[in-house]
Amino acid sequence: MPKKIEISHRTIIFVFVFIFALWFLYFIRDIILQLFVAVFIMTVLNPFVRRLTRFKIPRTLAVFVVYLFIIAVFSLLIAVIIPPLVEQSASFANSLPKYLSTLGVSAYISEQITGQIISSIGSLPGQIIKVGISVFSNVISVLAVFVFSLYLLLSREKLDDQLGFLFGEEKKKKIGRIIDRLETRLGGWARGELILMILVGTANYIGLSLLGIPFALPLAILAGLLEIIPNIGPITASIPGIIIGLSISPVTGLAVGALALLIQQLENYVLVPKIMEKSVGVSPLIILLALAIGFRIAGVIGAILAVPATITIQILASEYLLSK
């Protein structure tokens, strides 16, 4: 005789509450993303704020000084780099058929490749706008992230008391420990990657300029941006420079390849150990998987936030396992 399966009222209520919670999280996903970005910004900037407060500068003033400095640096970089970058990128696309034909590539293939590159460059402003809209759908979203990160920075020193008020004294220490670990690893990784990207891009620009390679600026920026992808990124970034070098002479092409290899070895054995020594590294395989999954889920924005999200998940999972 078959047994009856009885479902209690508590089980039914739990299922409905669980489904509602999932729906609610999906409904406020934009707010969660904004808060995550704000926490990420806070973890990157808070060490600079702390250093300023050591000089007896009030924390509020220190936060605004850091914000103004970051805004000034980005504005200066945009004003100095963007015009020559656009000019050299367009010139590179127009000159690419000549380089490819020098290497023996057929005119048809070179025209197809050039057409794709010109099309990509032409759609670049629209892509930038699209990316901006996908992260911050409107001005209110930008202000929300700014307010969140500003509040987190201003109240970082009082966060333990606020956690105790919201979650109780028992969970205050645990949540505070999680936030400290997030600040150490997320902030360390972000600052380290930014330094690596700048150093790799600068080294490529100096090296390519000394070798007399045209379009050194866009090639160097490409190398800096792809630095975030372990192993594959530097190899991919070196290909356009090698093509241009080979079109000049075989020796120049080999020199560009040697330059890329030298920078990669310098990065792996000198820069990464020194710069990343204070932050726990993430496995290159995990980074590649995270980037692929993030890009599949949310495109460029997903790829940008993939590694920070992975670090956050690792910390939360380790804290959960340790509590068992």
Side-chain angles (χ1 to χ4, degrees):
M1 185 174 178
K3 295 182 179 180
K4 288 185 178 181
I5 300 175
E6 295 183 359
I7 302 176
S8 64
H9 295 293
R10 289 183 178 180
T11 303
I12 296 174
I13 294 173
F14 173 78
V15 170
F16 275 105
V17 170
F18 181 73
I19 293 174
F20 175 79
L22 291 178
W23 172 84
F24 183 72
L25 289 174
Y26 178 79
F27 182 73
I28 63 171
R29 62 190 183 280
D30 293 338
I31 298 175
I32 296 174
L33 176 61
Q34 293 164 10
L35 184 59
F36 178 76
V37 174
V39 171
F40 182 61
I41 293 173
M42 184 270 289
T43 61
V44 175
L45 298 183
N46 190 47
F48 301 108
V49 175
R50 282 181 174 174
R51 289 175 186 174
L52 289 177
T53 56
R54 292 174 186 171
F55 296 98
K56 307 300 181 180
I57 298 176
R59 185 171 181 85
T60 302
L61 179 59
V63 170
F64 282 106
V65 168
V66 170
Y67 262 89
L68 289 176
F69 178 76
I70 297 297
I71 292 172
V73 168
F74 272 97
S75 301
L76 180 63
L77 290 176
I78 291 173
V80 172
I81 293 178
I82 293 300
L85 176 63
V86 173
E87 179 184 353
Q88 290 191 29
S89 299
S91 179
F92 171 72
N94 292 327
S95 303
L96 187 59
K98 180 182 68 176
Y99 297 127
L100 293 175
S101 62
T102 304
L103 297 176
V105 179
S106 66
Y108 174 76
I109 297 177
S110 65
E111 287 178 3
Q112 293 293 319
I113 296 175
T114 304
Q116 290 291 331
I117 293 177
I118 292 175
S119 175
S120 300
I121 292 175
S123 62
L124 187 59
Q127 291 295 325
I128 293 174
I129 294 174
K130 185 178 179 180
V131 168
I133 292 175
S134 64
V135 185
F136 306 116
S137 57
N138 48 47
V139 176
I140 296 178
S141 297
V142 178
L143 291 176
V145 171
F146 177 80
V147 171
F148 282 151
S149 59
L150 185 63
Y151 176 79
L152 289 171
L153 280 170
L154 291 173
S155 60
R156 180 65 183 90
E157 299 299 322
K158 302 177 182 178
L159 191 57
D160 289 343
D161 296 333
Q162 295 171 347
L163 290 174
F165 176 77
L166 291 174
F167 300 101
E169 293 297 324
E170 293 183 1
K171 294 185 177 180
K172 179 180 75 172
K173 292 183 178 180
K174 182 177 180 180
I175 298 175
R177 185 172 66 248
I178 292 174
I179 294 176
D180 289 338
R181 291 188 62 189
L182 282 173
E183 185 173 305
T184 300
R185 287 196 59 190
L186 275 181
W189 173 84
R191 290 186 298 272
E193 279 296 335
L194 183 60
I195 293 171
L196 283 175
M197 292 167 78
I198 293 173
L199 290 177
V200 169
T202 303
N204 273 275
Y205 179 75
I206 294 173
L208 293 173
S209 299
L210 292 175
L211 291 174
I213 303 297
F215 320 114
L217 181 60
L219 293 175
I221 291 177
L222 178 66
L225 292 176
L226 292 181
E227 164 60 27
I228 196 173
I229 305 176
N231 300 323
I232 298 176
I235 295 174
T236 305
S238 66
I239 293 175
I242 293 174
I243 291 175
I244 296 175
L246 289 173
S247 68
I248 297 173
S249 72
V251 175
T252 305
L254 290 174
V256 175
L259 172 67
L261 180 62
L262 175 62
I263 293 175
Q264 187 174 7
Q265 295 302 310
L266 183 66
E267 171 203 350
N268 291 336
Y269 294 103
V270 178
L271 297 179
V272 171
K274 289 294 182 181
I275 295 174
M276 293 294 193
E277 63 184 355
K278 292 184 179 180
S279 62
V280 181
V282 182
S283 167
L285 178 59
I286 294 177
I287 291 178
L288 290 175
L289 289 174
L291 290 171
I293 294 171
F295 186 81
R296 183 66 180 270
I297 293 174
V300 177
I301 299 309
I304 293 173
L305 297 178
V307 178
T310 302
I311 294 174
T312 303
I313 292 172
Q314 284 183 341
I315 292 174
L316 294 177
S318 66
E319 287 290 337
Y320 175 77
L321 293 174
L322 287 174
S323 64
K324 290 294 186 180

